[in-house]
Amino acid sequence: MNKVNNKVQNLFKPILFYTGNPSDNQLLKSLIEGESPAIVDEFDKQLAEHFMINNLELLNNKIDYEKKFNQFVKECADKQYGLWVFYPWKNVLVHTLEEKEFVELRTNRNKYKITDEEQQILSTKVIGIVGLSVGREIAITAALERICGEIRLADFDIIELANLNRLKVGIDELGVPKVISAARQISEIDPFIKVKVFADGLTQENMDEFFDDGVKIDLFFEESDGFDIKVLSRYKARNYKIPVVMETNDRGMLDIERFDVENFRPLFHGFVTDEELSNLTKLSGPEQLKILQKIVSFQNVSDKMKHSFTELGKSIKSWPQLGSDISFGAGMATGTGRMILLGEKVNSGRYYIEYSDKIVS
């Protein structure tokens, strides 16, 4: 891939132009003339909808409603209110509301499952996610519900065709780094959520920055395929007193480790010892697999997953992951994370939240 295409591929931050800012308007004009982007302009409809959700009491009085709405539109025009968002990787320009009103309207259907006060609390939270199969779906769901104001993503891998049984991306994204693809989708949902990417994955060298770059993450979703990172990141999370949530997409197994309130809690609920984990780098692949089987309580995994373990390195490269299981698991993990971030009572432990045994006779 040439350098120009490689540079474009790694862009994931949208560019914002405020209509009330003369210099932004000049830059916007130059952009339109130079790039000829596709333009999406539903701004008037957004203004109308934002006005409506804040004036529901007037809906039964058409005359008063229209009078007040026309005054609202005039005030917005006088202030040159509004925002244009440019997505370079798509060459698309979108006319939309400014941040406060955008967030208010976009999260309006969260009420009252998430209250205004809770939504404000969540907007201050920072979450970290490593491993972008289940992790990507968690990141997107977190952005949809807006359970945070910042998301840190770590994965070193690129999108391959074999990933498309579970990742909601098109074949046009083959070869794109998973962190870049996920960051782009988040910004397309909400350009005001801050996204920080770790394109080398989570490593011993960048782990401290991931967990605390001056602002500590409030919650860690661990979905890494790398056994060493699975272990080392937990030690780091425990040192930083950060809660960990992991979903395995088999039998709906959900792990919650509240290192924020149980700082001396054993890793993986004590299914393996610190001594076993300390020798991690010296272990062979089969030896690591035995410890991994202890960690996941191998006797409790599904029969099909048990069979899959016997085929690792023979007929399959890695353990299977299904799109339906990942969507189901990401919903559980995100909902659990939201409760932790809001200070609700969520206990450490391993939980199985299955659906198949409830609907299959």
Side-chain angles (χ1 to χ4, degrees):
M1 181 174 289
N2 65 46
K3 290 182 179 179
V4 174
N5 287 338
N6 191 53
K7 182 178 179 182
V8 171
Q9 175 171 282
N10 287 286
L11 288 173
F12 66 92
K13 293 185 179 180
I15 303 170
L16 310 184
F17 302 92
Y18 290 86
T19 55
N21 185 319
S23 61
D24 278 9
N25 285 329
Q26 187 59 46
L27 290 170
L28 181 62
K29 181 181 177 182
S30 298
L31 174 78
I32 293 172
E33 291 174 351
E35 301 294 334
S36 301
I39 295 177
V40 177
D41 190 349
E42 296 287 310
F43 183 69
D44 290 345
K45 291 180 182 178
Q46 293 175 39
L47 274 183
E49 191 173 7
H50 183 265
F51 176 83
M52 184 268 292
I53 65 170
N54 285 286
N55 292 276
L56 292 172
E57 74 283 357
L58 294 177
L59 284 176
N60 293 324
N61 189 327
K62 187 176 180 180
I63 294 175
D64 284 353
Y65 188 91
E66 289 186 355
K67 180 180 178 181
K68 191 171 180 179
F69 174 67
N70 290 335
Q71 179 62 31
F72 168 72
V73 171
K74 182 179 183 303
E75 290 172 357
C76 289
D78 290 343
K79 291 189 295 185
Q80 294 185 292
Y81 173 86
L83 178 71
W84 288 92
V85 182
F86 180 59
Y87 295 101
W89 54 94
K90 300 177 77 172
N91 197 29
V92 171
L93 188 63
V94 184
H95 197 187
T96 190
L97 304 175
E98 295 181 19
E99 182 172 5
K100 178 178 178 296
E101 293 75 22
F102 177 96
V103 173
E104 184 179 4
L105 179 55
R106 197 180 73 76
T107 61
N108 182 256
R109 290 297 184 92
N110 287 353
K111 292 182 179 181
Y112 283 95
K113 287 192 171 182
I114 303 175
T115 67
D116 288 343
E117 181 183 7
E118 289 172 333
Q119 203 78 66
Q120 180 57 41
I121 291 170
L122 292 170
S123 72
T124 67
K125 302 299 183 181
V126 181
I127 65 173
I129 304 172
V130 61
L132 293 181
S133 287
V134 178
R136 179 194 176 99
E137 194 72 7
I138 291 171
I140 301 308
T141 308
L144 288 172
E145 289 189 6
R146 217 174 201 276
I147 69 164
C148 60
E150 179 181 339
I151 301 178
R152 297 178 192 167
L153 304 172
D155 199 306
F156 62 85
D157 211 354
I158 62 170
I159 295 173
E160 299 173 328
L161 189 57
N163 300 140
L164 269 58
N165 74 320
R166 59 195 186 277
L167 298 188
K168 297 186 178 87
V169 301
I171 58 174
D172 59 312
E173 291 198 65
L174 293 177
V176 176
K178 288 181 179 179
V179 286
I180 300 300
S181 174
R184 287 175 175 178
Q185 189 172 355
I186 291 166
S187 74
E188 290 166 14
I189 294 167
D190 191 325
F192 303 107
I193 293 176
K194 182 179 178 182
V195 183
K196 185 172 183 178
V197 304
F198 291 76
D200 293 328
L202 197 58
T203 67
Q204 292 189 58
E205 290 73 29
N206 68 20
M207 207 173 282
D208 281 308
E209 181 186 357
F210 179 87
F211 280 99
D212 188 352
D213 64 356
V215 177
K216 190 172 76 168
I217 64 174
D218 298 289
L219 176 65
F220 178 46
F221 291 99
E222 190 282 298
E223 301 294 345
S224 175
D225 287 339
F227 186 40
D228 56 339
I229 294 303
K230 220 172 250 303
V231 174
L232 295 174
S233 65
R234 272 176 175 73
Y235 277 120
K236 192 68 70 173
R238 189 169 68 178
N239 288 342
Y240 278 108
K241 299 183 180 180
I242 294 169
V244 178
V245 173
M246 177 183 74
E247 201 285 324
T248 62
N249 59 89
D250 181 70
R251 294 191 60 210
M253 192 184 96
L254 185 71
D255 270 5
I256 303 168
E257 295 168 279
R258 295 298 305 270
F259 297 129
D260 54 327
V261 293
E262 302 169 84
N263 193 224
F264 297 102
R265 182 178 180 81
L267 270 61
F268 302 108
H269 316 298
F271 290 128
V272 288
T273 66
D274 280 338
E275 184 180 0
E276 289 175 297
L277 295 175
S278 66
N279 294 320
L280 184 65
T281 57
K282 302 175 185 176
L283 300 178
S284 65
E287 288 172 329
Q288 286 191 9
L289 185 59
K290 286 183 180 179
I291 292 182
L292 182 60
Q293 289 177 337
K294 281 187 177 184
I295 287 173
V296 299
S297 302
F298 189 67
Q299 69 276 11
N300 293 326
V301 305
S302 67
D303 290 340
K304 287 187 175 181
M305 185 61 86
K306 285 177 183 174
H307 176 67
S308 298
F309 267 86
T310 68
E311 292 296 318
L312 286 173
K314 299 175 184 178
S315 62
I316 54 175
K317 176 184 175 183
S318 184
W319 46 77
Q321 296 176 303
L322 299 179
S324 56
D325 288 341
I326 282 178
S327 295
F328 178 70
M332 291 191 303
T334 306
T336 300
R338 169 168 38 82
M339 291 189 290
I340 291 172
L341 291 170
L342 289 173
E344 296 181 27
K345 184 174 175 56
V346 178
N347 294 325
S348 294
R350 172 162 292 170
Y351 304 90
Y352 293 90
I353 309 169
E354 295 186 80
Y355 57 88
S356 57
D357 61 339
K358 303 295 189 298
I359 61 176
V360 179
S361 59

